[in-house]
Amino acid sequence: MPGSLAGNMGELRSNHFHSGIDIRTNNTIGLPVLASKSGYVSRATMSSTGYGNVLYIKHPDGNTTLYAHLDKFNGDVADYILKEQYRRKTGEIDLYFRENQFLIKRGDTVALSGNTGSSSGPHLHFDIRDDKGNALDPLSFGFDEITDTFSPKAEKVALVTLDANSRINDKFGRFEFYVLKVGENYQLPQPILASGNIGIELIAKDRFAYKGHFFGGVKFIEVFANGKKIFSQQIENINLAETRKINTALNFKAMRTNGSKFYKLYLDDGNDLQIYDKRLSGKFSVAETGVTKIEIKLKDVANNSSTFLFSLKYSPPSAETTLLEPMRNELAVDVHENILSLTSKMCHDAPAKVYVKGSSVDVSPSYYNQNQSNYLIDLRRLLPDSITTCKSTYATNLKSIIPYGIDYTYYSDWLEVDFEKDCLYDTLYFINYKRYANDSSVVYGIGDKNVPLHKSLLISIRKDTETDWNQKTAVYRIVGKGFAFNGGALNNGRISFSTREFGEFTILEDSIAPTIRPIYITNQNVRFKIKDNLAGINRFEATLNGRWLLLHYDAKTGI
């Protein structure tokens, strides 16, 4: 039976590149997992999150293979791990082994496949890692079990204005277009009007089959403008210590707001990933004469390729334009790079008043028609407190410009934030505010949730006089209608916590104990569901007639 994949190496995931291949097990748990090469077991971990149960095998060539989301280990190493769990009285364990402790031959059954950790379904995750900490593509080693005859596909393209003087269809911003398939290649049905400096983003996927919903990432992408190469991406290995820098390789805001993973086919200032030809920025200017023809070449590890063609037709910027869609709301606001874009209904060519620390300046619209006006404000020159148009006033909550690449501490009367030098990817236009929720609790807005962080921030919030905090009080990030626990330490009227996510936070007291609900109990097996309403489960312990009992916890289900 030929093997099939549910994911490939280099695929865009949330906050990381996928470091190996996901081998489908047809929704089955318990299939034998065979060693791909001889060596010795160098490490084994068991966790309720992440890779779940994982086995590492070190090989004579210096590479290590990793087998993850396993249901059970096999052989002597399984017996050893079980004894260590009982000796240490813990279900979650991370063990390293000596070179000759557990020898493995190619083809040995080392484990059974499973669905442990953060797996979204039964499968085997398989990595190959070199001795420098890089993940290598298993498919480049030659897998006869996996045949790939399918070309990568282009799905959607986004065009981005890269400065305040650039336009796409007479507008500033980021605009998405669906792609048409023509034969084995792709195109847009008609030229896009544009001017100035432009960047391209693309949803591209590597197909594993003509039918089915399994797609991977595209390893090789090249972009040409009028026949000249302007961008090149090659994902041949992944530095596992820097995999979070994927946040510079994709459009983080699009992923956060609607789940779309667009490859950025241009290099931002903070992008130092080694998967690009750094001589090619991907940024280009639409010439004032003629048409700029764009060709994007996609290729996978099996050398299947496809091409996406489209063109940009020069259209000079105009103050008065007819190509503006009707607005749903009075105001629409977005920050792109260094530019704040504010669009207001029914203001025509009337200026907006931009207030900065008590003084104001009039800013004329960059473009307009009878129904709406768009104002573009360069935040490097003006950091507005609020903006008033003919229709309404918008409070920006912008407080400071935080440079990236240096240590920096932000202070206000209620907030302190420590930015380490490598926690930001780019200059940050920092927002913060306090507001009251419907239940009168205080909500603290700290940063824009659509801006990624590379490392955690240390944040300290000063207590209001009317609040009452105690040892059961903690900080929670608001996620939809729920809360994500951040913890926090109380000291001198402040609560301090760390986070690697911007957003809205609140401070709550967890006074309700966790619950334990039996699912079934027999003389062979017990199964319980444990749950907590707020802070989550910190630890659990089971005993049988007073003796510690090993239970396996599935964090996905709470069972």
Side-chain angles (χ1 to χ4, degrees), residues 128-173:
I128 300 177
R129 301 179 178 184
D130 67 18
D131 56 4
K132 297 181 178 64
N134 296 309
L136 311 176
D137 189 350
L139 297 182
S140 67
F141 285 76
F143 269 73
D144 295 337
E145 299 91 343
I146 303 294
T147 57
D148 181 2
T149 59
F150 309 115
S151 300
K153 62 175 289 189
E155 203 167 87
K156 205 173 190 183
V157 67
L159 300 178
V160 184
T161 55
L162 296 180
D163 57 54
N165 298 315
S166 302
R167 299 288 184 270
I168 296 167
N169 286 337
D170 289 343
K171 293 168 286 188
F172 171 89

Side-chain angles (χ1 to χ4, degrees), residues 232-415:
S232 177
Q233 168 193 296
Q234 299 184 57
I235 306 178
E236 297 185 282
N237 59 68
I238 294 169
N239 184 336
L240 295 171
E242 297 187 342
T243 186
R244 189 176 173 87
K245 290 184 179 178
I246 188 178
N247 291 325
T248 63
L250 53 68
N251 187 304
F252 185 85
K253 185 175 182 179
M255 181 184 70
R256 181 56 67 89
T257 53
N258 57 36
S260 300
K261 295 185 176 72
F262 282 85
Y263 288 95
K264 280 188 176 182
L265 307 186
Y266 59 95
L267 302 183
D268 283 330
D269 292 340
N271 186 341
D272 62 358
L273 284 165
Q274 300 303 306
I275 61 174
Y276 305 107
D277 183 341
K278 293 299 177 64
R279 297 168 297 180
L280 307 173
S281 72
K283 301 172 183 178
F284 64 96
S285 181
V286 177
E288 295 186 11
T289 56
V291 171
T292 301
K293 295 182 179 180
I294 302 297
E295 179 182 17
I296 302 177
K297 294 182 178 180
L298 310 173
K299 189 176 73 170
D300 65 19
V301 70
N303 287 319
N304 302 303
S305 63
S306 57
T307 301
F308 171 34
L309 299 171
F310 66 96
S311 59
L312 302 175
K313 183 179 180 180
Y314 178 76
S315 175
S318 174
E320 191 160 7
T321 179
T322 59
L323 296 177
L324 304 179
E325 295 88 354
M327 294 181 64
R328 295 181 180 180
N329 303 313
E330 289 283 334
L331 287 176
V333 181
D334 191 20
V335 174
H336 178 69
E337 299 289 340
N338 302 304
I339 306 298
L340 185 149
S341 171
L342 183 145
T343 307
S344 176
K345 271 188 177 180
M346 307 298 291
C347 286
H348 196 51
D349 60 351
K353 282 198 176 295
V354 178
Y355 292 89
V356 181
K357 296 181 178 179
S359 61
S360 68
V361 285
D362 287 348
V363 173
S364 298
S366 297
Y367 52 88
Y368 58 87
N369 64 15
Q370 291 296 327
N371 298 315
Q372 60 186 273
S373 300
N374 176 271
Y375 305 87
L376 299 177
I377 299 166
D378 191 332
L379 297 177
R380 295 168 295 184
R381 300 188 179 125
L382 288 175
L383 194 68
D385 306 316
S386 61
I387 305 168
T388 298
T389 70
C390 72
K391 301 294 290 182
S392 57
T393 296
Y394 170 73
T396 67
N397 295 312
L398 287 163
K399 305 298 183 185
S400 184
I401 300 175
I402 313 295
Y404 82 102
I406 65 170
D407 293 329
Y408 189 94
T409 300
Y410 169 84
Y411 299 96
S412 75
D413 58 349
W414 62 273
L415 179 65

